[in-house]
């Protein structure tokens, strides 16, 4: 039976362009990390690019999604990085796999458990004193209205995210200085959200009477309605953080 395809249009599981990814990798490898820890790594695309640029580094990706981890292992093998990249199926909460010279935590601070300030303290624990953290974290570009919140994800609340200034302040309070601050563009968000749905939209168009079509159509329509609601309201910051002495 033909089933909806997996998301083949996405390189990164988030609003991240090729140009920004290349800039991030160059910045994050400037201090020559030898150990990399990727929290909530998914398929570990950014970690693998870091390892390809930093030939002395080894990396460990942690996630709970076995399928994503399998894709990461295959990608590492295909690129000749299998000996330097490990993908581990386990919780990141309280992990003992640090400290590392470079910690990646992109869209996955919730994997560290607790509230965002607690996750930032964990990131400080997990990075070496002269290392770097790349934090990819949501923030409100503007305050959403009650109606907009009601049309986002289930139980969406103002407290789900800070504004950008508050986010940076939280990072400083946790023991970091922000080396670099950048935010995903609207183009990056639209590339990501369109890529997230594209394979399934085409499948629905080609299989409108499939037994799974109605359930899939409802799920896709819900997702699209939500992201068109938070479009331009929810931002994603990429913060390159330096631990303070």
């Amino acid at each position: 039976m033909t089933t909806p395809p997996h998301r083949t249009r996405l390189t990164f599981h988030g609003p991240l362009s090729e140009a920004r990814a290349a800039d991030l990798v160059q910045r994050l490898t400037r201090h020559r990390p030898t150990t990399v820890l990727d929290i909530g790594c998914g398929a570990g695309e950014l970690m693998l690019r870091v390892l390809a640029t930093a030939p002395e580094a080894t990396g460990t990706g942690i996630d709970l999604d076995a399928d994503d981890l399998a894709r990461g292992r295959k990608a590492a093998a295909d690129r000749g990085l299998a000996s330097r990249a490990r993908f581990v199926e386990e919780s990141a909460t309280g992990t003992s796999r640090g400290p590392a010279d470079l910690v990646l935590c992109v869209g996955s601070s919730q994997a560290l458990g607790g509230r965002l300030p607690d996750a930032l303290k964990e990131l400080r624990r997990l990075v070496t004193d002269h290392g770097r953290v790349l934090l990819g974290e949501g923030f409100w570009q503007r305050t959403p209205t009650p109606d907009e919140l009601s049309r986002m994800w289930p139980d969406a609340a103002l407290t789900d995210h800070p504004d950008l200034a508050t986010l940076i302040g939280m990072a400083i309070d946790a023991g970091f200085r922000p080396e670099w601050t950048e935010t995903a563009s609207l183009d990056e968000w639209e590339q990501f959200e369109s890529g997230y749905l594209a394979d399934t939209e085409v499948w629905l168009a080609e299989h409108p009477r499939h037994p799974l079509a109605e359930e899939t159509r409802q799920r896709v329509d819900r997702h699209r309605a939500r992201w068109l609601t938070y479009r331009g309201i929810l931002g994603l910051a990429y913060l390159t953080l330096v631990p303070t002495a």
Side-chain angles (χ1 to χ4, degrees), residues 41-102:
C41 64
E45 179 64 27
L46 194 60
M47 181 181 77
L48 293 177
R49 294 188 184 204
V50 166
L51 296 182
T53 305
E56 297 180 358
T58 59
T60 301
I62 302 173
D63 205 290
L64 294 174
D65 190 313
D67 291 340
D68 280 346
L69 292 168
R71 281 190 291 275
R73 293 184 191 103
K74 182 179 185 305
D78 290 345
R79 301 179 201 185
L81 297 171
S83 65
R84 295 197 286 126
R86 295 180 62 205
F87 289 87
V88 183
E89 185 178 352
E90 65 183 28
S91 170
T93 303
T95 181
S96 60
R97 295 192 178 273
D101 295 331
L102 173 59

Side-chain angles (χ1 to χ4, degrees), residues 144-158:
T145 67
D147 175 64
E148 288 167 338
L149 281 171
S150 72
R151 292 184 284 116
M152 294 184 188
W153 49 91
D155 301 318
L158 285 176

Side-chain angles (χ1 to χ4, degrees), residues 95-125:
T95 181
S96 60
R97 295 192 178 273
D101 295 331
L102 173 59
V103 180
L104 307 175
C105 184
V106 179
S108 54
S109 63
Q110 70 280 357
L112 295 170
R115 299 160 49 249
L116 181 56
D118 299 324
L120 284 162
K121 290 177 183 177
E122 269 291 275
L123 289 171
R124 180 61 187 88
R125 179 181 72 84

